[in-house]
Amino acid sequence: MAKVGIVLGSNELSKVLFAGMWSVISTSMGDEVVIFATMDAVKAFVKENPEIKISDETSKKASNEDLMGFYRKAKKSGRLKVYACSYASKLFGIEKEQYNDVVDDIVGITSFQMEVEEGQIISVW
């Protein structure tokens, strides 16, 4: 069983969906996945009125997708953790209770790095 860290820095729909799809595939193969939503990506994980960009062709075609569906499916495995960046949360004034149910906690990048340890890290910007 491997550990995969995903740094998600964009709230573009196609990129948020990609991180979710990667999570489902990795957790279904037995891997542990830790997602670190940072910068604009944190805005995609709020409960009310998530801010999602739809500017690329893939996002336009996928605009009816259940954005958090992949994350919820991966969470059911018990092998996915989703963290919101403490710095970005502070920048945008987002508190823990404002995030949707897939977000486990607000942490700093050091905590994310320590949890992933020597696992593979993927950046999605």
Side-chain angles (χ1 to χ4, degrees), residues 5 7 22 35 47 51 60 64 67 96 104 115:
V7 177
W22 193 285
I35 293 179
K47 287 181 203 172
E51 188 178 315
K60 290 174 186 172
N64 292 324
L67 183 61
K96 170 70 170 97
D104 294 292
E115 184 154 347

Side-chain angles (χ1 to χ4, degrees), residues 16-49:
V16 177
L17 285 172
F18 174 78
M21 288 186 294
W22 193 285
S23 298
V24 168
I25 291 165
S26 292
T27 57
S28 70
M29 294 172 59
D31 295 340
E32 290 183 42
V33 178
V34 182
I35 293 179
F36 185 70
T38 188
M39 301 309 159
D40 285 344
V42 297
K43 298 185 281 185
F45 290 89
V46 296
K47 287 181 203 172
E48 295 184 26
N49 303 315

Side-chain angles (χ1 to χ4, degrees), residues 2 9 13 15-17 32 58 72 76 102 107 111:
L13 177 62
K15 295 173 182 178
V16 177
L17 285 172
E32 290 183 42
T58 303
R72 288 189 178 98
K76 286 181 183 178
V102 303
V107 302
S111 296

Side-chain angles (χ1 to χ4, degrees), residues 71-116:
Y71 295 91
R72 288 189 178 98
K73 186 173 182 178
K75 292 287 269 182
K76 286 181 183 178
S77 72
R79 291 186 289 273
L80 172 65
K81 290 185 183 173
V82 178
Y83 296 128
C85 172
S86 58
Y87 179 76
S89 296
K90 185 177 178 179
L91 276 179
F92 296 112
I94 305 170
E95 301 288 330
K96 170 70 170 97
E97 58 275 357
Q98 293 174 283
Y99 284 111
N100 68 35
D101 61 332
V102 303
V103 175
D104 294 292
D105 206 354
I106 297 173
V107 302
I109 195 162
T110 303
S111 296
F112 164 75
Q113 182 76 25
M114 288 172 53
E115 184 154 347
V116 175

